[in-house]
Amino acid sequence: MMGPSAYLILSGILFAIGAIGVVARKNALIILMSVELMLNGVNVAFVAVGSYMGDPTGGIFAFMVMTVAAAEAAVGLSILIAIYRLKETIDITELSVLKW
Amino acid sequence: MIAIPFDSSQVMQGIASIAPEAILVCTAITVLMADLFLAEDGKWLLCWLSLAGVLAALGEVYLLGSSRIVGFSGMITSDGFGMFFSTVVLSACALVLLMATGWSERAGTQKGEFYSLILMSTTGMLIMAKGTDLMTIFLGLETLSIPIYVLVGFQRSRMTAIEGALKYFLLGAFGAAFMLYGMALIYAATGTTKIPVLVYMSVGGGMAGSSLFLAGMGLLLVGFAFKVSLFPFHMWTPDAYEGAPTLVTAFMSAAVKAAAFAALVRVAMLLFPGVSPAIGPVLWVLAVLTMTVGNISALGQNNVKRILAYSSIAHAGYIMVGLVAGDLLGSQAALFYLLVYAFMNIGAFGVLMLISQKEDDGYDIHNLRGIGFKYPVLGALLTLFLVSLAGIPPTGGFIGKFYLFSAAVKNGYIWLAILGVLNSAASIYYYLRIVVYMYFMTPEGEVVTPHTPPFGYALALCACAAVVLVLGMIPGAVLTMAEQSVLSLLM
């Protein structure tokens, strides 16, 4: 049977794309989506390793990550709505009341 | 189909191990429910209800004591170490709730969800401090963080608040993703997420050759660095601290830091020795840079909240010194320092909340002109807390720094100790600058009139001052407690 290394590489690529998105994008909504992509990259690694080893921990962990990601998205989107109501933009370069 | 055996004693043990958390969650839900039925002028009751829940949880922590209770097949362990940090976190929460009695009314946070979120976040902190599985640590971290994101942006009509919340949220989620990827790599390298099993596998350098494991530990460290605001992952701290309602800032700086360091100390004490040649120098550099960057950035600030935010970054660096030392004395000193830091920082924010008339501009250092002589009690209290933060005797801050740096010296990190002391000396400048403004600057126009604190608020301030002074003069008992709790970790 093939080891999980191919899946680990895939997860690494997904995670890297997400991380680059967070650093390079300016739209807060896209940044939020990139974070979700990073989390899903992690999920791929967990599920692959868990199923390779026949250990349920990986799958359980992936479910926990999904739950947390949902909660995070809910809070994140509501923060974005609040900021849009005040400034009519969600471009993070325009948010400069506080110095970065 | 295999029948899953049901062991009632195991279940009871599991429930016992999370009893304080269960009390907090029940209180949080009760507060939310009570909020529906209370009239607008009866909302003050919510604060006291939350406080009662926190005190009950604190009582439960002491009922359980430092005996080792392993719950949910090793996911969570209630031991001496957990007890120490539960005490720190719950006391910080209790102090903040006491201060809320005199503050919520005028800050617009007299709402059920505000208290409920604080209690939920505290629950996450306890879980994080007691987690003995990477999964529990992650869930604790998120249970802690998500309510804090909301609390930072609670006053959502203020641009600074919502902007601080967004920055904290984006960087916090980013950091959590790194930590999670680290956990996934550790899982891939070892096939387990249970810390005791990982310790068994990594002891004596058993895993030091696995690049997957090392990368996992590194990413885990990055995740922790985001939470405890180590350089270069500290960017969110000043913005989130300045934007948040000051009460939440006090809570974050004391309790969130303590909980994140609790999990970090657990991981560092147990797993880092196995990979120390690779990770030791990294921690050394992180500690020095964090201290230096925090202190230097604080020098030029004029907003007192921002000064304290940068100072909190510097303090994370001091605490890291204890982790670099890596032995019993170092961890013991780190624990002691986190306890003292919680009290002195909440105290300092508490006094500032009374003096400032409104958020944002209200925390400008110029507003402190002339406070010292006109309101001697407030002036003296703020001076005491700042002196303790600067690490000048006879305060708890001095004892904590003394032990941290002596642990570094004892383990041969002489340069680290020297740089730490130099940093500490530099920090005296900006702490005393606030004191100078209070006593020696003549006010332009009227001296601001501080709010009169109600009984609970005054009690919280007195408690902070008493703890800072008592720990500065007779630290023995708490140091022993810290030592015991680190020992219970190593058993």
Side-chain angles (χ1 to χ4, degrees), chain B residues 279-363:
Chain B
I279 225 156
V282 177
L283 291 181
W284 195 100
V285 172
L286 276 183
V288 170
L289 285 178
T290 308
M291 285 191 276
T292 316
V293 168
N295 279 325
I296 289 178
S297 318
L299 294 178
Q301 300 295 331
N302 273 330
N303 182 313
V304 188
K305 260 168 109 176
R306 254 182 124 78
I307 294 180
L308 286 179
Y310 281 113
S311 111
S312 105
I313 298 173
H315 282 272
Y318 301 141
I319 295 165
M320 283 303 288
V321 171
L323 292 191
V324 176
D327 65 340
L328 176 62
L329 183 63
S331 302
Q332 178 194 359
L335 261 61
F336 180 83
Y337 202 81
L338 280 165
L339 177 78
V340 179
Y341 181 73
F343 281 92
M344 57 194 184
N345 220 28
I346 291 184
F349 276 117
V351 178
L352 290 174
M353 275 193 281
L354 287 180
I355 295 172
S356 80
Q357 302 300 303
K358 59 183 191 323
E359 291 287 345
D360 302 331
D361 302 340
Y363 288 91

Side-chain angles (χ1 to χ4, degrees), chain A residues 16-87:
Chain A
I17 293 174
I20 292 167
V22 172
V23 177
R25 289 303 195 122
K26 291 188 172 60
N27 186 319
L29 198 60
I30 308 280
I31 295 180
L32 187 58
M33 284 161 66
S34 303
V35 170
E36 298 289 316
L37 193 59
M38 291 168 81
L39 294 181
N40 282 320
V42 172
N43 275 347
V44 170
F46 270 122
V47 172
V49 175
S51 93
Y52 175 68
M53 296 190 181
D55 179 27
T57 313
I60 298 170
F61 215 133
F63 272 112
M64 295 296 180
V65 174
M66 280 189 248
T67 318
V68 166
E72 243 176 23
V75 168
L77 287 175
S78 38
I79 292 175
L80 286 187
I81 291 174
I83 216 158
Y84 187 77
R85 280 191 185 148
L86 282 184
K87 284 217 52 156

Side-chain angles (χ1 to χ4, degrees), chain B residues 19 68 103 167 183 203 226 243 263 275 298 376 394 398 410 428 430 444 456 475 485-486:
Chain B
R68 195 179 180 82
W103 185 82
K167 285 176 183 171
M183 288 175 179
V203 77
F226 265 108
V275 290
F398 167 71
K410 188 174 150 249
I428 293 176
Y430 60 81
E444 301 156 350
S485 56
V486 179

Side-chain angles (χ1 to χ4, degrees), chain A residues 12 55 58 72 87 98-99, chain B residues 142 159 163 167 181 187 239:
Chain A
D55 179 27
E72 243 176 23
K87 284 217 52 156
L98 301 165
K99 285 150 281 176
Chain B
E142 289 296 333
M159 196 56 216
E163 198 180 309
K167 285 176 183 171
Y181 198 53
Y187 179 58
D239 293 341

Side-chain angles (χ1 to χ4, degrees), chain B residues 99-146:
Chain B
M99 287 181 177
T101 56
W103 185 82
S104 275
E105 197 89 330
R106 60 192 158 91
T109 55
Q110 194 74 295
K111 290 179 175 146
E113 59 268 30
F114 182 76
Y115 299 113
S116 187
L117 284 168
I118 285 189
L119 292 172
M120 292 290 188
S121 176
T122 311
T123 313
M125 292 171 194
L126 297 195
I127 293 174
M128 201 171 169
K130 285 156 79 173
T132 45
D133 189 300
L134 295 179
M135 198 190 293
T136 340
I137 291 182
F138 168 68
L139 288 177
L141 175 87
E142 289 296 333
T143 318
L144 166 178
S145 304
I146 293 175

